[in-house]
Amino acid sequence: MSIGLNVLNSQNYLPPAITAAVKEYATIELGLGASAQELKHKEVTNIKYKVRGPMEVHLVGNSDLKLDISQSVSYLKEQGYQVEIYRVHQRSTKGIVFAHPKQLEKLENHGWLTLIDSTHKTNRYDWRLFTLEDSDTVAEALKKIRSYCHWTFCYILSDQSSVEFKSVKIVFSGVNTGEQECEVLLCVVHIMRTWMSKIHEKKPRDVMIAAMHKRTKIGCEKLIQEAINNCPVPTIQNYIRRNYMKNTQQWALWAC
């Protein structure tokens, strides 16, 4: 049990997710269902923060921010990374772009489908990797990466981030600049997680999941309308209509 908790904790899952996973594993694999049911969210939370501290010691750099950044850049260069510090003047923001030649080679060979996402809690400042809070900053970073290699793109898979979506459209502007059109696809897992929090009614949420897996556009749109019609909450109806009715090619599996 302690090993399972530590593994899940290392991935920084939320306590409810850790609790559910441990209970399921203990019940199915170990036959400890009765004991596992005694595990509470609060206990997992306490364990999580006790373990998390020692695990993140290696993320604590120099206490001086400028020196910390300088040392990080030097380390990356020593490891063979291409590193560049840049500034976005209209936003008064700065960024650091780094990529290893082997990664750039993969981008050249397989970049027609590229996944973009941010990773949380990577350093003592609680910055993200990437820490790109606006589309201009993200776009500038993507431009830098494009300048490092011949990036042949077609699809970019992202979560439901308007920042990421806008930045992709800025950098990969498509036929307007004589380039191939770049389609942004939304991650199915992120969408379903969003529905769990936004579409509270189970029946319309189940219908939307069925719509996601429909193999035809017409069938998908029919199920979306069914979900709207059978939802008793007007705000949820409007949410589904506004966010998922006219962009099924980005999230529904019929488009694949």
Side-chain angles (χ1 to χ4, degrees), residues 160 191 194-209 211-212 220-248 251:
Q160 288 182 282
I191 288 177
T194 301
W195 287 352
M196 292 294 291
S197 60
K198 297 291 185 180
I199 306 178
H200 308 294
E201 297 291 327
K202 185 178 185 302
K203 185 174 182 180
R205 186 172 66 238
D206 289 344
V207 176
M208 286 297 293
I209 293 174
M212 174 184 285
C220 174
E221 293 175 343
K222 182 178 179 181
L223 285 174
I224 296 173
Q225 190 60 56
E226 180 182 329
I228 294 172
N229 294 340
N230 292 328
C231 183
V233 184
T235 54
I236 298 179
Q237 289 180 341
N238 292 332
Y239 171 77
I240 296 173
R241 188 181 295 110
R242 183 176 62 253
N243 293 284
Y244 300 102
M245 177 62 82
K246 296 182 179 180
N247 65 343
T248 59
W251 58 269

Side-chain angles (χ1 to χ4, degrees), residues 87-217:
R87 179 188 294 272
V88 181
H89 296 286
Q90 66 268 31
R91 291 282 185 175
S92 298
T93 57
K94 293 181 180 180
I96 303 173
V97 174
F98 58 92
H100 196 275
K102 290 185 178 179
Q103 295 171 334
L104 294 174
E105 183 180 347
K106 291 179 181 178
L107 195 60
E108 286 188 346
N109 295 331
H110 309 289
W112 59 272
L113 173 59
T114 302
L115 281 62
I116 182 172
D117 198 3
S118 60
T119 302
H120 302 253
K121 296 185 180 300
T122 58
N123 49 53
R124 64 183 298 168
Y125 310 106
D126 203 20
W127 291 349
R128 296 181 181 184
L129 178 69
F130 48 82
T131 300
L132 301 169
E133 302 298 337
D134 60 80
S135 55
D136 291 328
T137 310
V138 180
E140 188 63 28
L142 292 175
K143 289 177 183 177
K144 297 291 184 185
I145 295 174
R146 285 196 69 184
S147 70
Y148 298 160
C149 64
H150 180 64
W151 187 354
T152 302
F153 52 86
C154 188
Y155 302 101
I156 287 187
L157 180 66
S158 73
D159 58 18
Q160 288 182 282
S161 167
S162 60
V163 168
E164 293 174 11
F165 181 83
K166 291 177 182 178
S167 67
V168 169
K169 291 304 181 182
I170 291 172
V171 178
F172 306 100
S173 48
V175 294
N176 293 331
T177 56
E179 294 182 330
Q180 179 177 342
E181 197 69 33
C182 184
E183 186 71 35
V184 179
L185 306 177
L186 301 179
C187 174
V188 170
V189 174
H190 280 94
I191 288 177
M192 293 184 68
R193 287 177 180 172
T194 301
W195 287 352
M196 292 294 291
S197 60
K198 297 291 185 180
I199 306 178
H200 308 294
E201 297 291 327
K202 185 178 185 302
K203 185 174 182 180
R205 186 172 66 238
D206 289 344
V207 176
M208 286 297 293
I209 293 174
M212 174 184 285
H213 292 86
K214 198 69 177 178
R215 293 184 177 270
T216 65
K217 181 179 180 181

Side-chain angles (χ1 to χ4, degrees), residues 22-119:
V22 171
K23 284 183 177 180
E24 180 180 354
Y25 181 82
T27 301
I28 298 174
E29 301 294 335
L30 304 178
L32 300 174
S35 300
Q37 295 308 312
E38 299 297 323
L39 183 64
K40 306 299 181 183
H41 289 180
K42 185 175 181 180
E43 295 171 339
V44 174
T45 301
N46 292 336
I47 296 172
K48 176 181 173 66
Y49 287 107
K50 285 180 181 178
V51 174
R52 214 48 211 174
M55 290 176 62
E56 292 182 346
V57 170
H58 67 287
L59 299 177
V60 178
N62 196 289
S63 58
D64 180 85
L65 175 58
K66 290 184 178 180
L67 185 56
D68 199 9
I69 292 174
S70 176
Q71 290 176 343
S72 298
V73 170
S74 297
Y75 172 79
L76 289 168
K77 289 182 177 179
E78 290 171 0
Q79 300 303 311
Y81 283 80
Q82 188 163 341
V83 187
E84 187 172 351
I85 298 176
Y86 67 93
R87 179 188 294 272
V88 181
H89 296 286
Q90 66 268 31
R91 291 282 185 175
S92 298
T93 57
K94 293 181 180 180
I96 303 173
V97 174
F98 58 92
H100 196 275
K102 290 185 178 179
Q103 295 171 334
L104 294 174
E105 183 180 347
K106 291 179 181 178
L107 195 60
E108 286 188 346
N109 295 331
H110 309 289
W112 59 272
L113 173 59
T114 302
L115 281 62
I116 182 172
D117 198 3
S118 60
T119 302

